[in-house]
Amino acid sequence: MTDTTDDIAEEISFQSFEDDCKMLGNLLLEVLQREVGAQMREKVDRYRTLAQSACSMRLAGIEDMANLLEKQLASDISKMSLEEALTLARAFSHYLNLMGIAEVHHRVRRQKNVASLSKSCDDIFYQLLQRGVSPDQLYDTVCKQEVEIVLTAHPTQINRRTLQYKHIKLSHLLDLKDRPDLTSEERDMVIEDMVREITSIWQTDELRRHKPTPVDEASAGLNIVEQSLWKAVPHYLRRVSNALKKHTGKPLPLKCTPIRFGSWMGGDRDGNPNVTAKVTKDVSLLSRWMTIDLYIREVDSLKFELSMNRCSDSLSKLAHEILEQESASEDRHSWDHQCYSTNQVKQQAAALPTQLPARADQPSCTECNVGHSHYPRIEIPRTGLLNQQDGPESPRSPMAKSPSQNSLRNASLIAKRKMFAESQVGRSSFQKLLEPKPTKRSAIAPYRIVLGNIKDKLMKTRRRLELLLEDLPCDFNLSEYCDTSDELIEPLMTCHDSLQSCGSGILADGRLADLIRRVATFGMVLMKLDLRQESGRHAETLDAITKYLDMGTYSEWDEEKKLEFLTRELKGKRPLVSPSMEVASDVKEVLDTFRIAAELGSDSLGAYVISMASNASDVLAVELLQKDARLAVSGEIGKPCPGGTLRVVPLFETVKDLRGAGSVIRKLLSIDWYREHIIKNHNGHQEVMVGYSDSGKDAGRFTAAWELYKAQEDVVAACNEYDIKVTLFHGRGGSIGRGGGPTYLAIQSQPPGSVMGTLRSTEQGEMVQAKFGLPQIAVRQLEIYTTAVLLATLRPPHPPREQKWRNLMEEISKISCQNYRSVVYENPEFLTYFQEATPQAELGFLNIGSRPTRRKSSTGIGHLRAIPWVFAWTQTRFVLPAWLGVGPGLRGVCEKGHTEDLKAMYKEWPFFQSTIDLIEMVLGKADVPISKHYDEVLVSKSRRHLGDELRMELLATEKLVLVVSGHEKLSANNRILRRLIESRLAYLNPMNLLQVEVLKRLRSDDDNKQLRDALLITINGIAAGMRNTG
């Protein structure tokens, strides 16, 4: 299990962390006394004390006493009533969350109090210059760096969004309590606010009662941007720019951004039938709507700030042109042509502000330390899909409609009502009395005229998007709204240049520069949406097409015949799919998705990812379906489709596919059409994705890590052979078993040459909130991404020193894989053992994701998704997927006399060191007595021997890992992380014992809803204590 603190665990100070944990615990006990009574409060405190004593005994090596105390605790829990069990589960779950809040708070506080942080831009830039990198090379590399962080909706975020917001508020209150200028009275008031917030948390249902829709998941991702990343990005870019100026003499250009963001939320349809073409379109429009709404707020603030008259000739000219256009527009348009132009007249000459916008009086950049959002909650326009079941309710926008208003007749009625309600009859004349005419505005600030014009276009753009989201007609002049980021940046840059030329650089580099940087980073969509679909669905679609054309069955052809057909059709100019062709619903959905992709284009969408890719034909099939859809759409609208074609990205996931990845890329690039297409349409850039989850479930973590390393080497070599640049896209999960771990460590251990200034990586589930939920933490994570990629580019990690090291890795990997598969796939008892010993079957009740837990209906492990596979073992503290097979592999080479070689590999080869360190971290979180308790209570006697054998293997693996690393005990190289883990055990262990008892009762009374709730709360609590899920 990776820990959310792993990247910067050394940045926490225990000086006051434990005091805050104690304070929050006492406040929770105070709330419990009031909410559930003194007797229950005393029980909770007693169980915590008993568990703490057992932990202390075990840490001191007094195992017998520790076992005795834990048995007493388990016995007491088994005698509890259902109501008491539910209360205990809730109390300990909330306390583990409170500890997590305190931990994050102290990481932030530590950052503020340290003059120079490790891995910061200032630190790494200095190191690189000392190691011989020239200032010019450093500057150019940073400016050309392209990192994209892709947020996904993988179902590993346990906490409801409502509780996430309340946790953030508590974090802000902790920050406020630390202020040295507070009086004792003010500090007491802050404590009272904490009590209110904890009371509110206690009285809130912690369980999701309905599965989120894909649009709900996308809305949650957009909220992360609005609440955190929107504030963090300018702060982060200033930090990069200041460090560059300090070390190279040149700041980061305003329109340059080393990091951008992508999303899979609403685009990932692999195994998720709920993500349809309409969902993708709605999510894309919603993302654009939120972007425009945020820009409107920023422009409002700028209008109040830039009130000066002095400006450059170019800005003066632009302002006068705008005034002339507005004057001409007033003469040309009559009132009855303005029915669909809400607020048009109101916004046309908004030079005289009537109300101070939010945060116009605050500093422009350093907003990361403010304890609340600077923006009101965005009023997201809702359709039937926008069902916000969770989180604070957004006020209904004027565009909202009820689900019952879906008929054509009602839609028409709504449109007519809108026309009447938005008519400017009478209003326009009254507005003119309040606003000066253009001829009288010669002395009004030119910046406000330009910014007012920008706001006017943004308002019209937002209005158009609302109509599109509501499926209502919108007849706007395309020149009247902002469609591209260039259209927005150009007048902003004119304002910036004008301020600089007039000696007002201090103003130019404030809020205005921040807005320009936001536009450069977020564009017009916040996060471009990737599409993902499984390769077999494309083959089914081509089957339908070839059968319709009497060409046979595409999927039955061999690879060469497929490539010949696909290449021939790609070179042709005629459409392949007939509009009259009738197809099955699954095929229609695939075709509809490509049609939506053609309509939206690369301005809104990012890459098209093909999961389970294994052949060159998988890529060309998508290229053909994409080309055909674009031909059809452009023919209908009578002009080219917007934007360019989407990048088609093969995702290699299984060990078999990883081994063939290089060959597939070579085959693709050997095809003239494809190579020319990459050079012409994608700037000679090939993107390849490697998957960590399925490879780990397929062969074990050690073998997966080595196969991923070799696959990346081979893909890079293949692209180099054809002089094509490559970007590797890493599909990393949160846990070690799914490729998770510290970002910095992961990037620094990649093969040399695989990170050449470009990188894409997923951030999934609970990791999104943990790494980017607070602006201060987000700034630090963005900085770590930047410096890690920079180091890997300019000073790549060392390759294996000699061929012998590679041979040893092959041998360890082979033995490890054989052992892993013999247990997981070849032992006929293992599947039943897994189902009995873990809450895997019950995880489906959590309602944490919109997609099913299995790709197919089979009950075997093969079709179980990697997330529930890892999640289930995390709950029992066995964390088996991350270490199984490692021990036999290491033992096999050590017995042949290679122990010293392994020690040398650990010291000198970053990849091997990273792999061993992550396994050691996982082993530090495993708990043999707890996992044994699950077996003793839940597993049939005939299968308990399997658990005993696995626990013996776990202990043997620990010893072998310590021999290789040279550490005396687990996590000896990360004392603070070990201490953080130990501090949670007094609350985590009782949660596990309680979960076992609840599972035992539930399996004999599976319709008991209260028992099910109690189980789900224990799952929440254990996930909070382990600091991740899957």
Side-chain angles (χ1 to χ4, degrees):
M1 291 299 90
T2 186
D3 201 282
T4 55
T5 60
D6 291 346
D7 260 314
I8 43 182
E10 73 276 12
E11 292 169 13
I12 191 169
S13 171
F14 274 87
Q15 211 164 22
S16 56
F17 167 67
E18 290 176 342
D19 290 339
D20 275 349
C21 286
K22 185 177 180 180
M23 177 199 69
L24 290 170
N26 288 335
L27 294 181
L28 178 60
L29 288 174
E30 179 185 323
V31 171
L32 286 176
Q33 175 137 350
R34 189 171 59 253
E35 295 289 328
V36 297
Q39 187 177 358
M40 193 63 214
R41 174 199 183 280
E42 289 171 6
K43 275 190 176 183
V44 169
D45 204 25
R46 177 176 176 272
Y47 292 145
R48 182 196 63 80
T49 304
L50 200 58
Q52 183 65 66
S53 300
C55 292
S56 300
M57 292 293 178
R58 180 155 282 119
L59 290 171
I62 311 174
E63 291 287 337
D64 291 343
M65 183 59 71
N67 290 334
L68 192 64
L69 289 170
E70 284 180 350
K71 283 183 179 179
Q72 179 62 47
L73 182 58
S75 174
D76 289 353
I77 287 174
S78 68
K79 297 172 185 174
M80 294 178 74
S81 68
L82 179 55
E83 289 73 17
E84 288 176 328
L86 198 58
T87 300
L88 182 67
R90 295 190 67 212
F92 279 29
S93 177
H94 284 311
Y95 187 77
L96 286 164
N97 277 303
L98 292 176
M99 287 187 73
I101 293 166
E103 187 179 313
V104 170
H105 165 68
H106 283 272
R107 284 164 61 195
V108 172
R109 188 165 75 170
R110 175 71 171 166
Q111 290 176 37
K112 294 177 184 176
N113 296 334
V114 174
S116 179
L117 290 168
S118 66
K119 307 168 191 170
S120 66
C121 290
D122 189 39
D123 174 38
I124 298 302
F125 292 179
Y126 175 78
Q127 285 187 35
L128 287 169
L129 291 173
Q130 293 299 304
R131 290 159 65 177
V133 175
S134 70
D136 287 343
Q137 185 184 13
L138 173 62
Y139 181 81
D140 291 341
T141 306
V142 172
C143 291
K144 292 176 182 177
Q145 183 171 294
E146 295 179 13
V147 174
E148 187 170 345
I149 300 168
V150 182
L151 309 186
T152 79
H154 283 67
T156 59
Q157 173 53 267
I158 283 288
N159 284 323
R160 288 181 56 198
R161 207 187 319 162
T162 298
L163 291 174
Q164 291 174 42
Y165 286 129
K166 292 179 184 297
H167 294 168
I168 288 172
K169 189 170 180 181
L170 266 177
S171 181
H172 292 324
L173 288 171
L174 281 173
D175 192 47
L176 183 59
K177 182 182 74 71
D178 285 344
R179 281 178 47 177
D181 59 336
L182 289 183
T183 65
S184 58
E185 181 185 14
E186 289 170 332
R187 188 164 280 103
D188 288 342
M189 291 172 66
V190 172
I191 298 296
E192 286 180 14
D193 283 342
M194 288 183 183
V195 174
R196 291 187 189 95
E197 203 60 45
I198 293 172
T199 302
S200 173
I201 288 171
W202 179 261
Q203 294 180 359
T204 299
D205 187 359
E206 50 269 85
L207 300 177
R208 290 185 178 93
R209 298 300 173 178
H210 305 281
K211 274 187 175 291
T213 68
V215 178
D216 292 333
E217 292 171 332
S219 296
L222 293 174
N223 283 330
I224 287 285
V225 177
E226 181 220 351
Q227 295 296 320
S228 178
L229 289 174
W230 189 256
K231 306 164 202 172
V233 162
H235 190 101
Y236 149 74
L237 289 172
R238 281 181 181 277
R239 190 173 287 185
V240 176
S241 183
N242 291 340
L244 270 181
K245 190 171 184 180
K246 175 180 176 180
H247 295 287
T248 70
K250 295 179 286 186
L252 186 73
L254 276 182
K255 293 191 283 185
C256 176
T257 178
I259 289 183
R260 288 186 172 85
F261 301 92
S263 173
W264 278 15
M265 303 177 189
D268 181 8
R269 58 239 312 126
D270 176 22
N272 190 349
N274 300 308
V275 180
T276 62
K278 177 165 176 34
V279 165
T280 296
K281 182 178 180 180
D282 283 343
V283 168
S284 178
L285 291 173
L286 183 61
S287 180
R288 280 185 169 267
W289 184 94
M290 182 176 276
T291 313
I292 299 301
D293 197 85
L294 288 169
Y295 286 149
I296 288 171
R297 297 166 191 268
E298 292 300 323
V299 171
D300 252 344
S301 297
L302 270 176
K303 284 172 63 182
F304 281 89
E305 184 173 293
L306 303 184
S307 55
M308 59 291 303
N309 293 328
R310 188 174 55 170
C311 67
S312 66
D313 291 342
S314 58
L315 186 72
S316 177
K317 180 181 177 183
L318 177 60
H320 279 89
E321 288 173 356
I322 290 170
L323 292 177
E324 289 171 4
Q325 289 171 4
E326 289 179 352
S327 178
S329 177
E330 285 182 359
D331 294 339
R332 189 168 58 250
H333 294 293
S334 60
W335 65 267
D336 56 342
H337 289 148
Q338 298 173 358
C339 294
Y340 272 101
S341 300
T342 308
N343 298 324
Q344 181 175 356
V345 175
K346 191 188 303 179
Q347 299 296 326
Q348 271 187 339
L352 294 178
T354 58
Q355 182 181 354
L356 191 70
R359 79 180 183 81
D361 60 328
Q362 298 172 4
S364 59
C365 169
T366 54
E367 295 125 346
C368 288
N369 296 324
V370 180
H372 59 276
S373 171
H374 297 306
Y375 308 98
R377 295 288 304 150
I378 285 183
E379 299 181 7
I380 295 177
R382 297 183 179 188
T383 67
L385 283 168
L386 302 183
N387 178 23
Q388 294 196 353
Q389 303 165 357
D390 207 353
E393 285 294 320
S394 300
R396 292 187 66 85
S397 78
M399 296 305 304
K401 65 179 181 181
S402 66
S404 62
Q405 295 170 323
N406 290 326
S407 69
L408 183 63
R409 185 177 64 82
N410 282 346
S412 175
L413 181 61
I414 293 169
K416 289 177 181 177
R417 285 174 179 171
K418 290 180 186 297
M419 288 176 64
F420 179 79
E422 294 164 4
S423 171
Q424 298 298 313
V425 178
R427 300 183 196 178
S428 57
S429 298
F430 181 71
Q431 191 73 19
K432 289 176 183 177
L433 295 175
L434 300 178
E435 297 174 352
K437 294 181 179 179
T439 54
K440 298 179 181 178
R441 293 190 295 177
S442 57
I444 290 175
Y447 295 97
R448 287 183 168 175
I449 293 173
V450 172
L451 292 169
N453 180 256
I454 293 173
K455 182 182 175 183
D456 185 38
K457 288 186 175 182
L458 290 172
M459 295 284 285
K460 291 175 183 175
T461 305
R462 185 175 66 177
R463 174 63 175 149
R464 176 177 178 269
L465 290 168
E466 288 172 356
L467 293 174
L468 290 172
L469 275 166
E470 293 291 334
D471 292 325
L472 291 172
C474 51
D475 190 18
F476 281 89
N477 184 342
L478 296 182
S479 64
E480 292 183 350
Y481 62 86
C482 288
D483 195 41
T484 67
S485 55
D486 287 342
E487 294 173 14
L488 185 53
I489 278 187
E490 187 177 347
L492 293 175
M493 286 301 298
T494 302
C495 291
H496 185 273
D497 294 344
S498 173
L499 288 169
Q500 291 281 10
S501 67
C502 294
S504 301
I506 189 70
L507 289 172
D509 292 333
R511 181 172 277 118
L512 177 58
D514 288 346
L515 177 54
I516 293 169
R517 285 184 166 127
R518 284 181 172 119
V519 177
T521 302
F522 296 111
M524 305 302 285
V525 292
L526 284 185
M527 304 178 287
K528 285 192 176 183
L529 185 63
D530 281 2
L531 307 181
R532 183 170 77 132
Q533 183 57 281
E534 197 259 330
S535 58
R537 295 290 300 276
H538 307 133
E540 290 172 8
T541 303
L542 287 172
D543 279 348
I545 294 171
T546 55
K547 286 178 183 177
Y548 178 81
L549 298 174
D550 294 326
M551 298 177 67
T553 305
Y554 170 84
S555 59
E556 295 176 358
W557 300 347
D558 61 30
E559 179 67 5
E560 287 305 315
K561 185 175 180 181
K562 288 178 182 177
L563 291 175
E564 181 185 348
F565 164 74
L566 294 167
T567 306
R568 183 177 68 248
E569 292 299 328
L570 283 164
K571 290 178 180 177
K573 296 183 179 180
R574 63 176 177 82
L576 185 65
V577 179
S578 168
S580 61
M581 184 176 73
E582 294 184 2
V583 295
S585 58
D586 284 356
V587 172
K588 184 178 185 302
E589 182 55 43
V590 172
L591 293 174
D592 287 347
T593 297
F594 279 103
R595 183 181 181 85
I596 290 296
E599 292 175 3
L600 296 173
S602 59
D603 292 340
S604 298
L605 304 178
Y608 192 109
V609 179
I610 311 166
S611 57
M612 293 297 172
S614 57
N615 294 294
S617 60
D618 293 332
V619 176
L620 292 189
V622 172
E623 293 284 12
L624 178 58
L625 292 171
Q626 179 177 208
K627 173 207 164 193
D628 202 69
R630 290 178 68 83
L631 281 174
V633 170
S634 63
E636 290 175 14
I637 63 177
K639 59 181 180 180
C641 292
T645 60
L646 305 189
R647 309 185 310 277
V648 178
V649 180
L651 165 53
F652 300 104
E653 300 177 81
T654 66
V655 167
K656 179 183 176 183
D657 292 340
L658 285 168
R659 288 171 178 167
S663 299
V664 170
I665 299 302
R666 283 185 181 86
K667 185 64 178 178
L668 278 170
L669 295 177
S670 71
I671 299 171
D672 292 341
W673 179 90
Y674 185 78
R675 190 172 61 256
E676 291 166 6
H677 165 71
I678 288 292
I679 294 170
K680 177 183 176 183
N681 296 313
H682 300 299
N683 199 27
H685 222 112
Q686 173 68 55
E687 188 174 322
V688 177
M689 186 171 183
V690 289
Y692 291 68
S693 298
D694 284 287
S695 58
K697 187 167 73 73
D698 188 28
R701 185 70 258 142
F702 195 96
T703 297
W706 179 231
E707 294 299 336
L708 283 157
Y709 187 92
K710 292 189 296 179
Q712 292 177 70
E713 286 183 320
D714 202 16
V715 165
V716 170
C719 290
N720 288 341
E721 289 167 18
Y722 288 90
D723 199 25
I724 295 292
K725 293 173 285 186
V726 63
T727 293
L728 286 164
F729 184 4
H730 298 265
R732 303 172 68 231
S735 63
I736 304 296
R738 295 182 52 245
T743 302
Y744 196 86
L745 184 64
I747 295 173
Q748 284 298 292
S749 60
Q750 297 303 311
S754 65
V755 182
M756 296 306 292
T758 65
L759 179 84
R760 290 189 95 208
S761 181
T762 58
E763 290 290 357
Q764 303 180 3
E766 81 280 16
M767 291 295 116
V768 175
Q769 180 68 34
K771 292 184 176 181
F772 305 110
L774 289 175
Q776 305 95 320
I777 299 295
V779 169
R780 185 73 174 121
Q781 290 293 339
L782 296 177
E783 192 174 26
I784 283 173
Y785 262 104
T786 300
T787 56
V789 170
L790 184 67
L791 264 180
T793 301
L794 293 177
R795 290 294 179 267
H798 297 297
R801 190 181 69 193
E802 51 187 296
Q803 182 60 37
K804 181 181 180 181
W805 287 6
R806 299 183 71 94
N807 295 340
L808 287 174
M809 280 297 298
E810 285 290 350
E811 190 168 353
I812 298 170
S813 175
K814 182 180 178 181
I815 298 171
S816 175
C817 182
Q818 288 173 346
N819 178 269
Y820 176 90
R821 292 192 64 84
S822 69
V823 172
V824 175
Y825 292 100
E826 296 168 16
N827 188 330
E829 291 187 303
F830 181 79
L831 177 59
T832 306
Y833 170 74
F834 169 56
Q835 292 168 339
E836 289 180 342
T838 74
Q840 181 269 322
E842 292 81 7
L843 291 177
F845 298 129
L846 276 173
N847 292 322
I848 59 175
S850 66
R851 75 180 188 182
T853 57
R854 291 182 178 273
R855 281 192 165 94
K856 298 181 181 179
S857 58
S858 166
T859 57
I861 290 174
H863 290 137
L864 180 69
R865 286 190 178 273
I867 288 174
W869 164 247
V870 174
F871 197 163
W873 289 113
T874 307
Q875 288 287 304
T876 67
R877 312 267 293 282
F878 212 173
V879 289
L880 179 139
W883 59 262
L884 183 60
V886 175
L890 294 176
R891 188 184 306 116
V893 296
C894 286
E895 288 175 350
K896 292 183 179 180
H898 297 296
T899 304
E900 292 305 315
D901 291 312
L902 294 182
K903 290 181 178 179
M905 290 164 64
Y906 179 81
K907 289 178 181 177
E908 299 179 35
W909 188 10
F911 164 74
F912 187 73
Q913 184 184 75
S914 168
T915 304
I916 295 297
D917 282 349
L918 291 176
I919 292 167
E920 184 177 329
M921 189 189 303
V922 169
L923 294 171
K925 285 192 170 185
D927 193 297
V928 169
I930 291 293
S931 66
K932 185 178 180 181
H933 184 66
Y934 276 82
D935 284 9
E936 289 173 343
V937 177
L938 301 173
V939 176
S940 304
K941 285 185 179 180
S942 62
R943 277 181 284 274
R944 287 180 194 167
H945 69 91
L946 187 53
D948 292 335
E949 292 166 7
L950 288 170
R951 276 183 288 279
M952 287 177 62
E953 189 58 59
L954 170 62
L955 295 173
T957 302
E958 286 183 6
K959 293 177 182 177
L960 286 161
V961 166
L962 292 176
V963 167
V964 173
S965 68
H967 299 149
E968 291 185 10
K969 57 170 61 176
L970 296 173
S971 301
N973 60 336
N974 198 335
R975 293 179 300 103
I976 291 178
L977 177 59
R978 189 173 76 247
R979 190 171 172 185
L980 285 170
I981 294 170
E982 290 170 357
S983 69
R984 304 170 196 154
L985 295 180
Y987 302 89
L988 186 55
N989 289 354
M991 288 293 285
N992 282 109
L993 300 178
L994 183 58
Q995 185 178 86
V996 171
E997 178 61 27
V998 173
L999 275 171
K1000 177 186 173 183
R1001 297 186 193 184
L1002 185 61
R1003 288 176 181 177
S1004 60
D1005 185 12
D1006 55 7
D1007 289 330
N1008 191 316
K1009 292 184 179 179
Q1010 275 192 301
L1011 275 174
R1012 187 180 296 177
D1013 281 359
L1015 174 66
L1016 299 182
I1017 290 167
T1018 65
I1019 291 173
N1020 285 6
I1022 294 167
M1026 295 295 280
R1027 300 294 291 163
N1028 67 12
T1029 50

